[in-house]
Coordinates of all heavy atoms in Angstrom, one line a residue:
M102 N -216.7 192.5 -66.7 CA -216.8 193.5 -67.7 C -218.0 193.2 -68.6 O -218.6 194.1 -69.0 CB -215.4 193.4 -68.6 CG -215.4 194.4 -69.7 SD -215.0 196.0 -69.0 CE -214.5 196.8 -70.5
A103 N -218.2 191.9 -68.9 CA -219.4 191.6 -69.8 C -220.7 192.0 -69.1 O -221.6 192.5 -69.8 CB -219.4 190.1 -70.1
K104 N -220.8 191.8 -67.8 CA -222.0 192.2 -67.1 C -222.2 193.7 -67.2 O -223.4 194.2 -67.3 CB -221.9 191.8 -65.6 CG -222.1 190.3 -65.4 CD -222.1 189.9 -63.9 CE -222.2 188.5 -63.7 NZ -222.3 188.1 -62.3
L105 N -221.2 194.5 -67.1 CA -221.3 195.9 -67.1 C -221.7 196.4 -68.5 O -222.6 197.2 -68.7 CB -219.9 196.6 -66.8 CG -219.9 198.1 -66.8 CD1 -221.0 198.6 -65.8 CD2 -218.5 198.6 -66.4
S106 N -221.2 195.7 -69.6 CA -221.6 196.1 -71.0 C -223.1 195.7 -71.2 O -223.8 196.4 -71.8 CB -220.7 195.3 -72.0 OG -219.4 195.8 -71.9
L107 N -223.5 194.5 -70.7 CA -224.9 194.1 -70.8 C -225.8 195.1 -70.1 O -226.8 195.5 -70.6 CB -225.1 192.7 -70.3 CG -226.4 192.1 -70.4 CD1 -226.9 192.1 -71.8 CD2 -226.5 190.7 -69.8
L108 N -225.4 195.5 -68.9 CA -226.2 196.5 -68.1 C -226.3 197.8 -68.9 O -227.4 198.4 -69.0 CB -225.6 196.7 -66.7 CG -226.3 197.7 -65.8 CD1 -227.7 197.3 -65.5 CD2 -225.5 197.9 -64.6
A109 N -225.2 198.3 -69.4 CA -225.2 199.5 -70.2 C -226.1 199.4 -71.4 O -226.9 200.3 -71.7 CB -223.8 199.9 -70.6
L110 N -226.0 198.3 -72.1 CA -226.9 198.1 -73.3 C -228.3 198.0 -72.9 O -229.2 198.7 -73.6 CB -226.5 196.8 -74.0 CG -227.3 196.4 -75.2 CD1 -227.2 197.5 -76.3 CD2 -226.9 195.0 -75.8
T111 N -228.7 197.3 -71.8 CA -230.0 197.2 -71.4 C -230.6 198.6 -71.0 O -231.7 199.0 -71.4 CB -230.1 196.3 -70.2 OG1 -229.6 195.0 -70.6 CG2 -231.6 196.1 -69.7
L112 N -229.8 199.4 -70.3 CA -230.2 200.7 -69.9 C -230.4 201.6 -71.2 O -231.4 202.3 -71.3 CB -229.1 201.4 -69.0 CG -229.4 202.8 -68.5 CD1 -230.7 202.8 -67.7 CD2 -228.3 203.3 -67.7
A113 N -229.5 201.5 -72.1 CA -229.6 202.4 -73.3 C -230.9 202.0 -74.1 O -231.6 202.9 -74.6 CB -228.4 202.2 -74.2
L114 N -231.1 200.7 -74.2 CA -232.4 200.3 -75.0 C -233.6 200.7 -74.3 O -234.6 201.1 -74.9 CB -232.3 198.8 -75.2 CG -231.3 198.3 -76.2 CD1 -231.3 196.7 -76.2 CD2 -231.5 198.8 -77.6
S115 N -233.6 200.6 -72.9 CA -234.8 201.0 -72.2 C -235.1 202.5 -72.3 O -236.2 203.0 -72.4 CB -234.8 200.6 -70.8 OG -233.8 201.3 -70.0
L116 N -234.0 203.3 -72.3 CA -234.1 204.8 -72.4 C -234.6 205.2 -73.8 O -235.4 206.1 -74.0 CB -232.8 205.5 -72.1 CG -232.5 205.5 -70.6 CD1 -231.1 206.2 -70.4 CD2 -233.5 206.2 -69.8
S117 N -234.1 204.5 -74.8 CA -234.5 204.8 -76.2 C -235.9 204.5 -76.4 O -236.6 205.2 -77.1 CB -233.6 204.1 -77.2 OG -233.9 202.7 -77.2
G118 N -236.5 203.5 -75.8 CA -237.9 203.2 -75.9 C -238.7 204.2 -75.2 O -239.8 204.6 -75.7
T119 N -238.2 204.7 -74.1 CA -238.9 205.8 -73.4 C -239.0 207.1 -74.2 O -240.0 207.8 -74.4 CB -238.3 206.1 -72.0 OG1 -238.3 204.9 -71.3 CG2 -239.0 207.2 -71.3
I120 N -237.8 207.4 -74.8 CA -237.7 208.6 -75.7 C -238.7 208.5 -76.9 O -239.4 209.4 -77.2 CB -236.3 208.9 -76.1 CG1 -235.5 209.3 -74.9 CG2 -236.2 210.0 -77.2 CD1 -234.0 209.3 -75.1
S121 N -238.7 207.3 -77.5 CA -239.6 207.1 -78.7 C -241.0 207.3 -78.3 O -241.8 207.9 -79.0 CB -239.4 205.7 -79.3 OG -238.1 205.6 -79.8
A122 N -241.4 206.7 -77.1 CA -242.8 206.8 -76.7 C -243.2 208.2 -76.4 O -244.3 208.7 -76.7 CB -243.0 205.9 -75.4
M123 N -242.2 209.0 -75.8 CA -242.5 210.4 -75.5 C -242.6 211.2 -76.7 O -243.2 212.3 -76.7 CB -241.4 210.9 -74.5 CG -241.5 210.3 -73.2 SD -240.1 210.8 -72.1 CE -240.0 212.5 -72.3
A124 N -241.9 210.9 -77.8 CA -241.9 211.7 -79.0 C -243.2 211.8 -79.7 O -243.5 212.7 -80.4 CB -240.8 211.1 -80.0
D125 N -244.1 210.8 -79.5 CA -245.4 210.8 -80.1 C -246.5 211.3 -79.2 O -247.5 210.6 -79.0 CB -245.7 209.4 -80.7 CG -245.0 209.0 -81.9 OD1 -244.4 209.9 -82.5 OD2 -244.9 207.8 -82.2
Q126 N -246.2 212.4 -78.6 CA -247.2 213.1 -77.8 C -247.4 214.5 -78.3 O -246.5 215.1 -78.9 CB -246.6 213.2 -76.3 CG -246.4 211.9 -75.7 CD -247.7 211.2 -75.4 OE1 -248.7 211.7 -75.0 NE2 -247.7 209.9 -75.6
P127 N -248.6 215.1 -78.2 CA -248.8 216.4 -78.7 C -248.0 217.4 -77.9 O -247.7 217.3 -76.7 CB -250.3 216.7 -78.4 CG -250.9 215.3 -78.2 CD -249.8 214.5 -77.7
G128 N -247.5 218.4 -78.6 CA -246.7 219.5 -78.0 C -247.6 220.5 -77.3 O -248.8 220.5 -77.5
P129 N -247.0 221.3 -76.4 CA -247.8 222.2 -75.6 C -248.5 223.3 -76.4 O -249.5 223.8 -76.0 CB -246.8 222.8 -74.6 CG -245.5 222.6 -75.3 CD -245.6 221.3 -76.1
D130 N -248.0 223.6 -77.6 CA -248.5 224.6 -78.5 C -249.4 224.1 -79.6 O -249.7 224.8 -80.5 CB -247.4 225.5 -79.0 CG -246.4 224.8 -79.8 OD1 -246.3 223.5 -79.7 OD2 -245.6 225.4 -80.5
W131 N -249.7 222.8 -79.6 CA -250.5 222.1 -80.6 C -252.0 222.4 -80.4 O -252.5 222.6 -79.3 CB -250.3 220.6 -80.6 CG -249.0 220.2 -81.1 CD1 -247.8 220.9 -81.2 CD2 -248.7 218.9 -81.7 NE1 -246.9 220.1 -81.8 CE2 -247.4 218.9 -82.1 CE3 -249.5 217.7 -81.9 CZ2 -246.8 217.8 -82.7 CZ3 -248.9 216.6 -82.5 CH2 -247.5 216.7 -82.9
M132 N -252.7 222.5 -81.5 CA -254.2 222.6 -81.4 C -254.8 221.4 -80.8 O -254.4 220.3 -81.1 CB -254.7 222.8 -82.9 CG -256.2 223.0 -82.9 SD -256.8 223.3 -84.6 CE -256.5 225.0 -84.8
P133 N -255.7 221.5 -79.9 CA -256.3 220.3 -79.3 C -257.1 219.5 -80.3 O -257.6 220.1 -81.3 CB -257.3 220.9 -78.2 CG -256.8 222.3 -78.0 CD -256.1 222.8 -79.3
I134 N -257.1 218.2 -80.1 CA -257.7 217.3 -81.1 C -259.1 217.6 -81.3 O -259.6 217.5 -82.5 CB -257.5 215.8 -80.7 CG1 -256.0 215.4 -80.9 CG2 -258.4 214.9 -81.4 CD1 -255.7 214.0 -80.6
E135 N -259.9 218.0 -80.3 CA -261.3 218.4 -80.5 C -261.4 219.6 -81.5 O -262.3 219.6 -82.4 CB -262.0 218.7 -79.2 CG -262.2 217.5 -78.4 CD -262.9 216.3 -79.1 OE1 -263.9 216.6 -79.8 OE2 -262.4 215.2 -79.0
Q136 N -260.6 220.5 -81.4 CA -260.6 221.7 -82.4 C -260.2 221.2 -83.8 O -260.7 221.7 -84.8 CB -259.7 222.8 -81.9 CG -260.2 223.6 -80.7 CD -259.3 224.7 -80.3 OE1 -258.2 224.9 -80.9 NE2 -259.7 225.4 -79.3
V137 N -259.2 220.3 -83.8 CA -258.8 219.7 -85.1 C -259.9 219.0 -85.8 O -260.2 219.2 -87.0 CB -257.6 218.8 -84.9 CG1 -257.3 218.0 -86.2 CG2 -256.3 219.6 -84.5
K138 N -260.7 218.2 -85.0 CA -261.8 217.5 -85.6 C -262.9 218.5 -86.1 O -263.4 218.3 -87.2 CB -262.5 216.6 -84.5 CG -261.7 215.4 -84.2 CD -262.4 214.6 -83.1 CE -261.6 213.4 -82.7 NZ -262.2 212.6 -81.6
A139 N -263.1 219.5 -85.4 CA -264.1 220.5 -85.8 C -263.6 221.2 -87.1 O -264.5 221.4 -88.0 CB -264.3 221.6 -84.7
K140 N -262.4 221.5 -87.2 CA -261.8 222.1 -88.4 C -262.0 221.1 -89.6 O -262.3 221.6 -90.7 CB -260.4 222.5 -88.2 CG -259.8 223.4 -89.3 CD -258.6 224.1 -88.8 CE -258.2 225.2 -89.8 NZ -257.2 226.0 -89.3
L141 N -261.7 219.9 -89.4 CA -261.8 218.9 -90.5 C -263.3 218.8 -90.9 O -263.6 218.7 -92.1 CB -261.3 217.5 -90.0 CG -259.8 217.3 -90.0 CD1 -259.4 216.1 -89.2 CD2 -259.2 217.3 -91.4
L142 N -264.2 218.7 -90.0 CA -265.6 218.6 -90.3 C -266.1 219.9 -91.1 O -266.9 219.7 -92.0 CB -266.5 218.4 -89.0 CG -266.3 217.1 -88.3 CD1 -267.0 217.1 -87.0 CD2 -266.7 215.9 -89.2
S143 N -265.5 221.0 -90.8 CA -265.9 222.2 -91.5 C -265.2 222.3 -92.9 O -265.6 223.1 -93.7 CB -265.6 223.5 -90.7 OG -264.2 223.7 -90.6
S144 N -264.2 221.5 -93.1 CA -263.6 221.5 -94.4 C -264.0 220.4 -95.3 O -263.4 220.1 -96.3 CB -262.0 221.4 -94.2 OG -261.6 220.2 -93.8
G145 N -265.1 219.7 -95.0 CA -265.7 218.7 -95.9 C -265.7 217.3 -95.4 O -266.3 216.4 -96.1
Y146 N -265.1 217.0 -94.3 CA -265.1 215.6 -93.8 C -266.5 215.4 -93.1 O -266.9 216.3 -92.3 CB -264.0 215.4 -92.8 CG -262.7 215.1 -93.5 CD1 -261.9 216.1 -94.0 CD2 -262.3 213.8 -93.7 CE1 -260.7 215.8 -94.7 CE2 -261.1 213.5 -94.4 CZ -260.3 214.5 -94.9 OH -259.2 214.2 -95.6
S147 N -267.1 214.3 -93.4 CA -268.4 214.0 -92.7 C -268.2 213.2 -91.4 O -269.1 213.2 -90.6 CB -269.3 213.2 -93.7 OG -268.7 212.0 -94.1
S148 N -267.1 212.5 -91.3 CA -266.7 211.8 -90.1 C -265.2 211.6 -90.0 O -264.5 211.6 -91.0 CB -267.4 210.5 -89.9 OG -266.9 209.5 -90.8
I149 N -264.8 211.6 -88.7 CA -263.3 211.4 -88.5 C -263.2 210.0 -87.8 O -263.8 209.8 -86.8 CB -262.8 212.5 -87.5 CG1 -263.1 213.9 -88.0 CG2 -261.3 212.3 -87.3 CD1 -262.7 214.2 -89.5
I150 N -262.4 209.1 -88.4 CA -262.3 207.8 -87.9 C -261.2 207.7 -86.9 O -261.4 207.1 -85.8 CB -261.9 206.8 -89.1 CG1 -263.1 206.8 -90.1 CG2 -261.6 205.4 -88.6 CD1 -262.8 206.1 -91.4
K151 N -260.1 208.4 -87.1 CA -259.0 208.4 -86.1 C -258.1 209.6 -86.4 O -257.9 210.1 -87.5 CB -258.2 207.1 -86.1 CG -257.2 206.9 -87.2 CD -256.4 205.7 -87.0 CE -255.3 205.7 -88.1 NZ -254.4 204.5 -87.9
I152 N -257.5 210.1 -85.3 CA -256.4 211.1 -85.3 C -255.4 210.7 -84.3 O -255.7 210.3 -83.2 CB -256.9 212.5 -85.0 CG1 -257.9 213.0 -86.0 CG2 -255.8 213.5 -84.9 CD1 -258.5 214.4 -85.7
E153 N -254.1 210.7 -84.7 CA -253.1 210.3 -83.8 C -251.8 211.2 -84.1 O -251.7 211.8 -85.1 CB -252.7 208.8 -83.9 CG -252.2 208.4 -85.3 CD -252.1 206.9 -85.5 OE1 -252.7 206.2 -84.7 OE2 -251.4 206.5 -86.4
V154 N -251.0 211.2 -83.1 CA -249.7 212.0 -83.2 C -248.7 211.1 -83.8 O -248.5 209.9 -83.4 CB -249.3 212.4 -81.8 CG1 -247.9 213.1 -81.9 CG2 -250.3 213.4 -81.2
D155 N -248.0 211.6 -84.9 CA -247.0 210.7 -85.5 C -245.9 211.6 -86.1 O -246.2 212.5 -87.0 CB -247.6 209.9 -86.6 CG -246.6 208.9 -87.2 OD1 -245.8 208.3 -86.5 OD2 -246.7 208.8 -88.5
D156 N -244.7 211.5 -85.7 CA -243.6 212.2 -86.3 C -243.8 213.7 -86.4 O -243.5 214.3 -87.4 CB -243.2 211.7 -87.7 CG -242.7 210.2 -87.6 OD1 -242.1 209.8 -86.6 OD2 -242.9 209.5 -88.6
G157 N -244.3 214.3 -85.3 CA -244.3 215.8 -85.2 C -245.6 216.4 -85.9 O -245.6 217.6 -86.1
H158 N -246.6 215.6 -86.2 CA -247.8 216.1 -86.8 C -248.9 215.2 -86.5 O -248.7 214.1 -85.9 CB -247.7 216.3 -88.3 CG -247.5 215.0 -89.1 ND1 -246.2 214.5 -89.3 CD2 -248.4 214.2 -89.7 CE1 -246.4 213.3 -90.0 NE2 -247.6 213.2 -90.2
Y159 N -250.2 215.6 -86.8 CA -251.3 214.8 -86.7 C -251.5 214.0 -87.9 O -251.4 214.5 -89.0 CB -252.6 215.6 -86.4 CG -252.7 216.2 -85.0 CD1 -252.9 217.5 -84.8 CD2 -252.7 215.4 -83.9 CE1 -253.0 218.1 -83.6 CE2 -252.9 215.9 -82.6 CZ -253.0 217.2 -82.5 OH -253.2 217.8 -81.2
D160 N -251.8 212.7 -87.8 CA -252.1 211.7 -88.8 C -253.5 211.3 -88.6 O -253.9 211.1 -87.5 CB -251.2 210.5 -88.6 CG -250.2 210.3 -89.7 OD1 -250.0 211.1 -90.5 OD2 -249.7 209.1 -89.7
G161 N -254.3 211.0 -89.6 CA -255.6 210.4 -89.4 C -256.3 209.9 -90.6 O -255.7 209.9 -91.7
E162 N -257.5 209.5 -90.3 CA -258.4 208.9 -91.4 C -259.8 209.5 -91.2 O -260.2 209.7 -90.0 CB -258.4 207.4 -91.3 CG -257.1 206.7 -91.5 CD -257.2 205.2 -91.3 OE1 -258.3 204.7 -91.0 OE2 -256.2 204.6 -91.4
G163 N -260.5 209.7 -92.3 CA -261.8 210.2 -92.2 C -262.6 209.9 -93.5 O -262.0 209.4 -94.4
I164 N -263.8 210.3 -93.5 CA -264.7 210.2 -94.7 C -264.9 211.6 -95.3 O -265.4 212.5 -94.6 CB -266.0 209.5 -94.4 CG1 -265.8 208.2 -93.6 CG2 -266.9 209.4 -95.6 CD1 -265.1 207.1 -94.5
K165 N -264.6 211.7 -96.5 CA -264.8 213.0 -97.2 C -265.4 212.7 -98.6 O -264.9 211.9 -99.3 CB -263.5 213.8 -97.4 CG -263.6 215.1 -98.0 CD -262.3 215.9 -98.0 CE -262.4 217.3 -98.5 NZ -261.1 218.0 -98.5
N166 N -266.6 213.3 -98.9 CA -267.3 213.1 -100.1 C -267.6 211.6 -100.3 O -267.4 211.0 -101.4 CB -266.5 213.6 -101.3 CG -266.3 215.1 -101.2 OD1 -267.2 215.8 -100.7 ND2 -265.2 215.6 -101.7
G167 N -267.9 210.9 -99.2 CA -268.2 209.5 -99.3 C -267.0 208.5 -99.5 O -267.2 207.3 -99.6
Q168 N -265.8 209.1 -99.4 CA -264.6 208.2 -99.6 C -263.7 208.3 -98.4 O -263.5 209.3 -97.8 CB -263.8 208.7 -100.8 CG -262.7 207.9 -101.2 CD -262.1 208.2 -102.6 OE1 -262.5 209.2 -103.2 NE2 -261.3 207.3 -103.1
K169 N -263.2 207.1 -98.0 CA -262.3 207.1 -96.9 C -260.9 207.7 -97.3 O -260.4 207.4 -98.4 CB -262.0 205.6 -96.5 CG -261.3 205.5 -95.2 CD -261.2 204.0 -94.7 CE -260.5 203.9 -93.4 NZ -260.4 202.5 -93.0
M170 N -260.5 208.6 -96.5 CA -259.3 209.4 -96.8 C -258.3 209.3 -95.7 O -258.7 209.2 -94.5 CB -259.6 210.9 -97.0 CG -260.6 211.2 -98.1 SD -260.0 211.0 -99.7 CE -259.0 212.4 -99.9
K171 N -257.0 209.4 -96.0 CA -255.9 209.5 -95.0 C -255.5 211.0 -95.1 O -255.4 211.6 -96.2 CB -254.8 208.6 -95.3 CG -255.1 207.1 -95.2 CD -253.9 206.3 -95.5 CE -253.1 206.2 -94.2 NZ -252.0 205.2 -94.3
F172 N -255.1 211.6 -94.0 CA -254.6 212.9 -94.0 C -253.5 213.2 -93.0 O -253.3 212.4 -92.0 CB -255.8 213.9 -93.7 CG -256.5 213.6 -92.5 CD1 -256.1 214.0 -91.2 CD2 -257.8 213.0 -92.5 CE1 -256.8 213.7 -90.1 CE2 -258.5 212.7 -91.4 CZ -258.0 213.1 -90.2
D173 N -252.7 214.2 -93.3 CA -251.7 214.7 -92.4 C -252.0 216.2 -92.1 O -252.4 216.9 -93.0 CB -250.3 214.7 -93.0 CG -249.8 213.3 -93.3 OD1 -250.1 212.4 -92.4 OD2 -249.2 213.0 -94.3
L174 N -251.9 216.6 -90.8 CA -252.3 217.9 -90.4 C -251.2 218.7 -89.7 O -250.4 218.1 -89.0 CB -253.5 217.8 -89.4 CG -254.7 217.1 -89.9 CD1 -255.7 216.9 -88.8 CD2 -255.3 217.7 -91.1
D175 N -251.1 220.0 -89.9 CA -250.2 220.8 -89.2 C -250.7 220.8 -87.7 O -251.9 221.1 -87.5 CB -250.3 222.2 -89.7 CG -249.3 223.2 -89.0 OD1 -249.6 223.5 -87.9 OD2 -248.3 223.5 -89.6
P176 N -249.8 220.5 -86.8 CA -250.3 220.3 -85.4 C -250.6 221.7 -84.7 O -251.4 221.6 -83.8 CB -249.1 219.7 -84.7 CG -247.9 220.1 -85.5 CD -248.4 220.2 -86.9
K177 N -250.1 222.8 -85.2 CA -250.4 224.0 -84.6 C -251.7 224.7 -85.1 O -252.3 225.5 -84.4 CB -249.2 225.0 -84.6 CG -248.0 224.4 -83.9 CD -246.8 225.3 -84.0 CE -245.6 224.6 -83.3 NZ -244.4 225.4 -83.4
T178 N -251.9 224.5 -86.4 CA -253.0 225.2 -87.1 C -254.2 224.3 -87.5 O -255.3 224.8 -87.7 CB -252.6 225.9 -88.4 OG1 -252.2 224.9 -89.3 CG2 -251.4 226.8 -88.1
G179 N -253.9 223.0 -87.5 CA -254.9 222.0 -88.0 C -255.1 222.0 -89.5 O -256.0 221.3 -90.0
E180 N -254.3 222.8 -90.2 CA -254.4 222.8 -91.7 C -254.0 221.5 -92.3 O -253.1 220.8 -91.8 CB -253.5 223.9 -92.3 CG -253.9 225.3 -91.9 CD -255.3 225.7 -92.5 OE1 -255.6 225.4 -93.6 OE2 -256.0 226.4 -91.7
I181 N -254.7 221.1 -93.3 CA -254.4 219.8 -94.0 C -253.1 220.0 -94.8 O -253.0 220.9 -95.7 CB -255.5 219.4 -94.9 CG1 -256.8 219.1 -94.1 CG2 -255.1 218.1 -95.7 CD1 -258.1 218.9 -94.9
L182 N -252.1 219.2 -94.5 CA -250.8 219.2 -95.2 C -250.8 218.3 -96.4 O -250.1 218.5 -97.4 CB -249.7 218.8 -94.2 CG -249.4 219.6 -93.0 CD1 -248.4 219.0 -92.1 CD2 -249.0 221.0 -93.4
G183 N -251.6 217.3 -96.3 CA -251.8 216.3 -97.4 C -252.9 215.4 -97.1 O -253.2 215.1 -96.0
E184 N -253.6 214.9 -98.2 CA -254.6 214.0 -98.0 C -254.7 213.1 -99.3 O -254.3 213.6 -100.4 CB -256.0 214.6 -97.7 CG -256.5 215.6 -98.8 CD -257.7 216.3 -98.4 OE1 -258.4 216.0 -97.3 OE2 -258.1 217.2 -99.1
A185 N -255.1 211.8 -99.1 CA -255.2 210.9 -100.2 C -256.2 209.8 -99.9 O -256.4 209.5 -98.8 CB -253.8 210.3 -100.5
P186 N -256.9 209.3 -101.0 CA -257.8 208.2 -100.7 C -257.1 207.0 -100.2 O -255.9 206.8 -100.5 CB -258.3 207.9 -102.1 CG -257.9 209.1 -103.0 CD -256.8 209.7 -102.4
E187 N -257.8 206.3 -99.3 CA -257.1 205.1 -98.7 C -257.5 203.9 -99.5 O -258.5 203.7 -100.1 CB -257.5 204.9 -97.3 CG -256.8 203.8 -96.7 CD -257.0 203.7 -95.2 OE1 -258.1 203.3 -94.8 OE2 -256.1 204.1 -94.5

């Protein structure tokens, strides 16, 4: 019985890790990152340091007006949802 419970726990943990890893992937209807970068550059960013998928949106860092900024973006439109100095 203990072996069966351990096997079930191991399987559940491995599946939850797979689901978590899959959750941080761009959706099929998301704006491609290259277009997102272009939109950021046209909105005042002079360089983009990183963009990543996090909790259903794009997260990133860049330089705007000479200052390092963190930003959150709408994944479908690339619109800035929030930004703050880092």
Side-chain angles (χ1 to χ4, degrees):
M102 182 76 164
K104 286 183 181 181
L105 183 58
S106 296
L107 182 59
L108 178 62
L110 177 62
T111 302
L112 181 60
L114 290 175
S115 68
L116 287 176
S117 69
T119 302
I120 292 168
S121 295
M123 290 172 50
D125 286 343
Q126 298 294 320
D130 57 345
W131 285 25
M132 181 179 277
I134 285 184
E135 289 307 314
Q136 287 181 358
V137 170
K138 286 180 183 178
K140 193 163 191 168
L141 285 165
L142 292 171
S143 71
S144 69
Y146 280 83
S147 57
S148 71
I149 309 305
I150 298 167
K151 76 173 185 176
I152 296 178
E153 60 190 18
V154 176
D155 186 41
D156 294 331
H158 64 275
Y159 285 123
D160 243 15
E162 298 174 3
I164 306 296
K165 186 175 186 179
N166 299 323
Q168 185 167 12
K169 190 172 182 181
M170 303 287 285
K171 293 180 83 168
F172 52 79
D173 295 322
L174 306 172
D175 181 286
K177 296 179 183 178
T178 66
E180 294 295 319
I181 297 171
L182 300 173
E184 59 185 353
E187 184 171 75

